[in-house]
Amino acid sequence: MTETGVREVAHVRAPGKINVSLAVGAVMDDGYHDVATTYQAVSLYEDIKAYHADDFSVSFTGPFDLSGVPLDASNLAIKAAQLLARTAKYRGGVRLEIEKNVPIAGGMGGGSADAAGTLVACDALWGTNLGKDALLALAAELGADVPFALTGGTAIGTGRGDRLSPVLTSHEHFEWVLVPADFGLSTPAVYGELDAHRERHIADIKPAPISPLVDTAVLQALRAGDPHMLAESLSNDLQAPALHLQPSLVKVLELGEKSGALAGIVSGSGPTLAFLAEDSESAIDLQVTLSAAGHRVLRVSGPVHGARLVND
């Protein structure tokens, strides 16, 4: 803070997520799908710093190839800042500096975390004080995963994924080992492949419901804090189409499951793979094995809090 009480910078940390379960409904007339998903926020964070400026800009650093990340008004973080400014009738701008640690186009909601973090950062920087409910409403306008990045924890998401219901879990964290890919997967392309698969096999498989439901076994496992129960109930309707689009992921999934993981799953629309471990020691062993096989590996736990101000 300056002597006048004006904040010079707002630093926010926002988490990536794993879809512990993801059921996708039938394609609707508008081309979209309702989903029923169980989100878990994990300890892999985007760091967003917001500074006062006359206009809106964003820059990125991080361990990934950032060449494909847009820096113009199409970027979700810029959209979030501009939406908040319009809503609050704020006349200035913001300079955003984002350190990306969540895989890009990896099915872990990194862009959504950027947007959620930007809403919290700009609200603090500008002193607009809109409150949590107003920020959640703005988040829902920006994208299906943005409200969850704002709230964090573990939650059921229905509709487009933005209607959230918190899930109570035990105090124990679940241990995950992540293998990001060196390529991205387009979410619309994965959904399109799912629709094509369902159309090709329309005579052989039960039609998808318009409004899917979360399997109660997932919720029971989360409430019990039991990784073995959770491993048995992990599910993702987008996994098969993601593996069809990128068959190289199959060998990595098999390696992880043979190397001590309780289960492996494609995170969201992929291509990041998430392996559930029994405990932290098992997660370290799995991390070592997958690293030795030449894969980039990240060890995380969840659930963790959503987008939150950091006191530097």
Side-chain angles (χ1 to χ4, degrees), residues 155-169:
I156 293 171
T158 55
R160 300 291 161 81
D162 58 338
R163 295 202 297 265
L164 299 177
S165 302
V167 174
L168 294 177
T169 63

Side-chain angles (χ1 to χ4, degrees), residues 30 46 51 60 62 66 70 98 120 132 144 173 179 184 191 203 218 222-223 234 253 266 269 290 292 301 312:
D30 61 3
E46 304 282 81
Y51 301 86
F60 293 93
L66 300 166
I98 299 178
V120 174
K132 184 176 180 180
H173 278 190
V179 179
Y191 273 93
V218 177
L222 289 166
R223 289 179 185 130
L234 294 179
L253 264 178
V266 171
S269 57
L290 291 171
S301 63
D312 291 319

Side-chain angles (χ1 to χ4, degrees), residues 3-291:
E3 291 181 1
T4 60
V6 176
R7 186 186 291 269
E8 292 182 335
V9 57
H11 178 191
V12 170
R13 192 160 283 156
K17 55 80 181 171
I18 293 170
N19 294 83
V20 175
S21 71
L22 176 56
V24 180
V27 63
M28 296 184 286
D29 292 340
D30 61 3
Y32 286 93
H33 309 71
D34 272 0
V35 301
T37 188
T38 312
Y39 296 109
Q40 184 163 101
V42 295
S43 57
L44 187 63
Y45 300 99
E46 304 282 81
D47 274 290
I48 300 99
K49 289 187 177 180
Y51 301 86
H52 292 283
D54 295 329
D55 56 6
F56 295 86
S57 65
V58 63
S59 61
F60 293 93
T61 57
F64 305 105
D65 178 5
L66 300 166
S67 59
V69 179
L71 302 178
D72 58 12
S74 67
N75 186 279
L76 200 56
I78 294 287
K79 288 181 178 180
Q82 292 177 331
L83 177 61
L84 178 60
R86 288 196 302 272
T87 302
K89 296 181 172 54
Y90 180 75
R91 297 184 179 276
V94 67
R95 174 170 58 87
L96 299 168
E97 295 179 357
I98 299 178
E99 180 184 328
K100 291 195 70 66
N101 295 297
V102 178
I104 298 166
M108 292 193 65
S112 297
D114 293 343
T118 295
L119 288 175
V120 174
C122 288
D123 187 53
L125 184 73
W126 297 338
T128 45
N129 300 316
L130 290 191
K132 184 176 180 180
D133 289 344
L135 291 181
L136 277 170
L138 296 182
E141 290 186 43
L142 292 163
D145 291 345
V146 183
F148 178 69
L150 203 58
T151 60
T154 305
I156 293 171
T158 55
R160 300 291 161 81
D162 58 338
R163 295 202 297 265
L164 299 177
S165 302
V167 174
L168 294 177
T169 63
S170 76
H171 293 297
E172 294 294 324
H173 278 190
F174 292 93
E175 299 291 333
W176 299 91
V177 175
L178 308 176
V179 179
D182 57 3
F183 52 83
L185 270 176
S186 159
T187 298
V190 177
Y191 273 93
E193 181 64 24
L194 174 64
D195 295 335
H197 171 81
R198 287 173 170 174
E199 185 65 29
R200 286 194 300 269
H201 299 279
I202 194 168
D204 306 317
I205 59 177
K206 188 165 65 174
I210 292 295
S211 299
L213 300 172
V214 169
D215 187 347
T216 55
V218 177
L219 304 181
Q220 290 170 352
L222 289 166
R223 289 179 185 130
D226 188 327
H228 290 272
M229 286 176 62
L230 186 60
E232 293 176 2
S233 55
L234 294 179
S235 63
N236 182 2
D237 284 354
L238 296 180
Q239 177 158 311
L243 296 179
H244 187 261
L245 291 171
Q246 288 291 347
S248 63
L249 297 174
V250 175
K251 288 184 177 180
V252 188
L253 264 178
E254 291 174 347
L255 175 61
E257 291 182 337
K258 289 176 181 176
S259 303
L262 297 178
I265 193 170
V266 171
S267 179
S269 57
T272 303
L273 302 178
F275 295 98
L276 180 60
E278 182 174 14
D279 50 33
S280 58
E281 185 176 334
S282 300
I284 293 169
D285 290 343
L286 180 58
Q287 181 182 22
V288 170
T289 300
L290 291 171
S291 295

